[in-house]
C-alpha cells in the first residue's frame, strides 16, 4: 500500500503562491487520500501539529516562512451524490484539492448551473468556503450544501451543513480558526435550471458584445472569464493575490457622512439596514496609489485593490506597502481597511 503522506523537507513555496514570493516550509506534506489524514498526521514530522494548510496559495502572503509543517490536500475526486433537496439538480461532492475553476467548468459542462459567475477564481475547492468566495454578485455559500472537515485536535471528521458554516461577506466559521479544521471535501447543491445573474459589473454588456442574446450558464461563464482577463492581472504573468483589501463595512451614519463629503464614493448596502459597505478600491485610488511602485512591490495600474509583485519583491516588502496604503486611507478618510489574504509570518 502506498504511504498516507508524501513529505519534502525545506520545500520552496515560491511556485505555490500566486504572489510568487520566496518562502520555505521546513516540511511540506501532501495527502491525496483524505480518509488517511489521521494516519498521515501521526507521522513523526507532523505529530506536533501543522502550521499551515496550503491550497493554491492564491489568498495568502508569505511575509515570512511558515513556522512549522505545511499540509496540502491533493485529492481530485468529483462525484455526483443524490438529487438536491430544494432544486431540480444534484448534490455534487468534490475533494479539497480540485482546482476551483476546473470544477466550475466541469459542472457547467455536466449541465449544472449556479457557479458561472464564479469562473476563473484561482485556488482550490477546499478553500472556497473559507472566505466564502464571491464575484459578480454571487457567493459560493448559495451553493454549499455541506463542508466535510477533519479536526486534528479531536481526531473527528465533522460535517458542517450550510448554516453551521456561518457564512458572511468573505467570511465563515473556518476563517476565524485557521488550520483548526482541515477541509477535506465540499458538497454543492447545484440546480439544472439556471437563474442567471446578469445585472452586475458589465456581464450583460459583455454578452451583447459576444453576440449572445439567449445566454446560457456557459455563456455567462465565458463573459465573466473575458471581463476578468481584461481587468485582473494573471498571476502567471504578474504575481498577485487578487483583491488585497476587503471592502470596509461601516455604520450607516458614518458612511452617509463620507458620501456627503465625497459624492462619487461607491457605497453599497451592508449585511443589514444599519451598515454600509464602501469601495476599498475607490478609497485607495483617491489616495493616489494606483500604479504606485516601490522596487518590485507595487499596486496594479489597472486595479487599486490589487497589490503586485513585479519580479523579486519579498512578502515583507509587499506587506510594508499594504500597511502604508491602509495608513493613508485611515488618515484621509478615517476608515480602517484590512487585508483579505491570510498573512503568514506576520500580523496585520
Ligand atoms: C487573480 C486572483 C483573483 C481572485 N479573485 C477572487 C474573487 O473574485 N473572489 C474571491 O472571493 N477571491 C478571489 N481571489 C482569492 C482566492 O482565489 C480565493 O480566496 C481562493 O478561494 C483561495 O484558494 P486557495 O486554494 O488558493 O487557498 P490558499 O491561498 O492556499 O489558502 C487560503 C486560506 O485557506 C486555507 N486553506 C486552504 N485550503 C484549505 C483546506 N483544504 N482546509 C483548511 N484550510 C484551507 C489556508 O490555510 C489559508 O488560510 C483571487 C485571487 C487571485 C490571485
Amino acid at each position: 500500500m502506498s504511504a498516507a503522506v508524501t513529505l519534502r523537507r525545506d520545500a520552496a513555496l515560491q511556485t505555490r503562491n500566486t504572489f510568487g514570493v520566496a518562502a520555505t516550509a521546513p516540511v511540506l506534506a501532501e495527502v491525496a487520500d483524505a480518509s488517511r489524514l489521521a494516519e498521515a498526521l501521526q507521522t513523526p514530522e507532523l505529530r506536533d501539529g501543522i502550521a499551515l494548510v496550503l491550497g493554491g496559495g492564491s489568498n495568502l502572503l508569505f511575509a515570512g516562512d511558515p513556522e512549522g509543517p505545511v499540509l496540502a490536500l491533493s485529492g481530485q475526486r468529483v462525484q455526483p451524490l443524490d438529487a438536491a433537496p430544494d432544486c431540480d439538480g444534484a448534490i455534487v461532492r468534490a475533494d479539497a484539492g480540485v482546482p476551483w475553476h476546473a470544477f466550475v467548468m466541469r459542472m457547467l459542462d455536466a449541465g449544472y448551473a449556479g457557479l458561472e459567475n464564479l469562473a476563473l477564481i484561482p485556488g482550490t475547492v477546499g478553500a472556497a468556503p473559507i472566505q466564502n468566495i464571491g464575484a459578480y454578485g454571487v457567493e459560493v455559500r448559495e451553493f454549499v450544501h455541506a463542508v466535510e472537515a477533519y479536526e486534528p485536535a479531536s481526531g473527528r471528521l465533522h460535517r458542517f451543513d450550510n448554516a453551521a458554516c456561518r457564512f458572511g461577506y468573505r467570511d465563515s466559521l473556518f476563517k476565524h480558526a485557521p488550520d483548526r479544521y482541515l477541509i477535506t471535501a465540499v458538497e454543492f447543491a447545484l440546480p439544472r435550471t439556471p437563474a442567471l445573474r446578469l445585472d452586475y459589473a458589465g456581464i450583460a454588456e459583455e454578452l451583447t458584445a459576444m453576440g449572445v442574446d439567449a445566454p446560457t450558464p456557459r455563456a455567462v461563464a465565458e463573459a465573466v472569464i473575458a471581463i476578468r482577463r481584461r481587468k485582473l492581472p494573471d498571476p502567471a504573468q504578474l504575481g498577485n493575490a487578487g483583491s488585497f483589501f476587503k471592502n470596509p463595512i461601516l455604520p450607516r451614519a458614518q458612511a452617509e457622512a463620507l458620501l456627503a463629503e465625497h459624492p462619487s464614493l461607491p457605497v453599497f448596502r451592508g449585511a443589514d439596514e444599519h451598515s454600509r459597505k464602501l469601495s476599498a478600491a475607490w478609497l485607495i485610488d483617491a489616495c493616489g496609489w494606483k500604479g504606485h511602485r516601490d522596487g518590485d512591490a507595487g499596486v496594479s495600474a489597472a486595479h487599486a485593490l490589487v497589490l503586485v509583485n513585479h519580479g523579486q519583491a519579498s512578502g515583507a516588502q509587499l506587506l510594508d506597502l499594504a500597511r502604508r496604503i491602509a495608513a493613508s486611507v485611515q488618515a484621509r478618510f478615517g476608515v480602517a481597511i484590512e487585508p483579505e489574504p491570510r498573512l503568514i509570518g506576520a500580523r496585520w
Side-chain angles (χ1 to χ4, degrees), residues 73-107:
L73 290 157
S74 55
Q76 296 293 321
R77 274 172 317 172
V78 175
Q79 306 158 273
L81 299 176
D82 310 316
D86 302 321
C87 67
D88 61 346
I91 308 289
V92 179
R93 182 183 192 281
D95 279 353
V98 175
W100 174 257
H101 175 66
F103 176 68
V104 170
M105 299 316 277
R106 187 165 163 184
M107 292 303 97

Side-chain angles (χ1 to χ4, degrees), residues 180-204:
R180 174 172 174 187
Y181 299 108
L182 315 183
I183 296 181
T184 52
V186 182
E187 292 176 12
F188 298 89
L190 299 175
R192 284 204 177 269
T193 305
L196 300 179
R197 236 78 66 74
L198 308 178
D199 52 348
Y200 200 88
I203 297 182

